[in-house]
Amino acid sequence: MAEFVTLEVSDGVGTIRLDRPKMNAISVQVQAELRAAAAEASERDDVKAVVVYGGERVFAAGNDVKEMAALSYADMVTVSGSVQSAVSAVAAIPKPVVAAITGYALGGGCELALAADIRIAADDATLGQPEVLLGIIPGAGGTQRLSRLVGPSKAKDIIFTGRFVKADEALAIGLVDRLVPAESVYDEAVAWARQFTGAASLAVRAAKESIDRGLEVDLATGLEIERLQFAALFATEDQTNGMQSFVENGPGKAQFEGR
């Protein structure tokens, strides 16, 4: 049984819940449990979309500095793969993923939020990559995902200075996608995720993979990724049902089975 990270499933929505008092510091154990929860969410057919949530008080205040402080370079060469792979496992979930951000999302917590497809944050939330203030840099995707999301100049300003980013600025630069009152964050995230419980899940998966893989390559290669994913969906029952429903009944009335 996982101690700090659980996957709870209700009505097609899986919630990956961090619960490591007081600030959800991401330890080696939390990293392992995140990988396991992400793998389970990926594999379960009853999970159509995922919410990543740290609770009402805090999303995650960062990686466990006390655990890392005594590590040598040789130690970190080995451990750094675990740090990065936990966040990458969440990013690789082949379903829509939303981060529900309350309180602080700093360092590794911010990197975990960046792994989601969208971010819904409390209007008093604080985000940032303050690793430089500890004499290091983000090591779980922050230098890469943040720059892709907000652009290199803004990412450099945030990472070079280690400053905190308040919710209104995070919204303005695209670091988060929506601000809501703190008490509504989780419900809003679940509502967004619930849109996909009856969706053509193979098409949504293909769209996510096309976008994510396309961002890693040149335009021509990205277009080829899209073309192959587009063509492959014509082997699915959902495509047949969706187009037949459109012809017979108009748009938006198809019933999808995820096959």
Side-chain angles (χ1 to χ4, degrees):
M1 289 289 292
E3 183 177 3
F4 300 125
V5 182
T6 57
L7 175 66
E8 303 162 1
V9 182
S10 177
D11 298 325
V13 175
T15 298
I16 294 177
R17 171 74 158 89
L18 280 71
D19 186 13
R20 187 184 182 220
K22 297 179 180 178
M23 300 296 283
N24 288 336
I26 302 174
S27 63
V28 170
Q29 180 178 340
V30 171
Q31 292 158 17
E33 292 180 7
L34 273 171
R35 285 192 296 272
E40 184 181 352
S42 298
E43 294 165 3
R44 287 181 58 164
D45 290 337
D46 60 336
V47 175
K48 304 301 182 182
V50 175
V51 177
V52 182
Y53 181 52
E56 296 178 357
R57 183 168 177 265
V58 63
F59 184 72
N63 287 319
D64 192 328
V65 176
K66 291 182 180 178
E67 190 176 73
M68 292 191 296
L71 297 180
S72 67
Y73 166 73
D75 295 329
M76 189 51 73
V77 167
T78 302
V79 174
S80 58
S82 173
V83 174
Q84 203 169 84
S85 66
V87 174
S88 293
V90 174
I93 294 172
K95 301 166 185 180
V97 178
V98 52
I101 302 169
T102 55
Y104 292 97
L106 301 173
C110 187
E111 290 171 305
L112 180 59
L114 290 170
D117 298 307
I118 76 160
R119 283 147 293 281
I120 297 175
D123 53 16
D124 60 354
T126 301
L127 298 89
Q129 299 286 172
E131 287 89 346
V132 70
L133 304 180
L134 303 177
I136 59 173
I137 65 170
T143 65
Q144 302 304 303
R145 291 191 178 96
L146 183 61
S147 57
R148 284 166 169 77
L149 188 64
V150 304
S153 295
K154 290 184 178 66
K156 287 175 181 177
D157 172 54
I158 292 167
I159 293 171
F160 289 1
T161 64
R163 67 182 181 83
F164 288 179
V165 180
K166 297 298 185 181
D168 54 352
E169 181 187 359
L171 180 65
I173 66 175
L175 177 50
V176 301
D177 301 283
R178 191 187 311 169
L179 297 182
V180 298
E183 62 271 17
S184 302
V185 168
Y186 180 68
D187 289 342
E188 289 286 335
V190 170
W192 183 87
R194 195 157 282 152
Q195 297 177 94
F196 305 101
T197 57
S201 55
L202 292 174
V204 174
R205 177 177 182 150
K208 178 168 179 172
E209 186 166 341
S210 296
I211 293 167
D212 288 350
R213 298 288 78 78
L215 287 170
E216 299 169 356
V217 298
D218 60 272
L219 177 60
T221 304
L223 289 169
E224 182 64 6
I225 291 170
E226 178 186 271
R227 184 186 70 80
L228 292 171
Q229 292 280 3
F230 172 74
L233 290 169
F234 281 76
T236 67
E237 292 181 21
D238 283 349
Q239 175 271 327
T240 300
N241 295 338
M243 290 194 170
Q244 184 176 352
S245 176
F246 179 87
V247 171
E248 295 176 355
N249 305 309
K253 298 181 175 63
Q255 301 294 312
F256 296 113
E257 301 294 333
R259 296 195 297 266

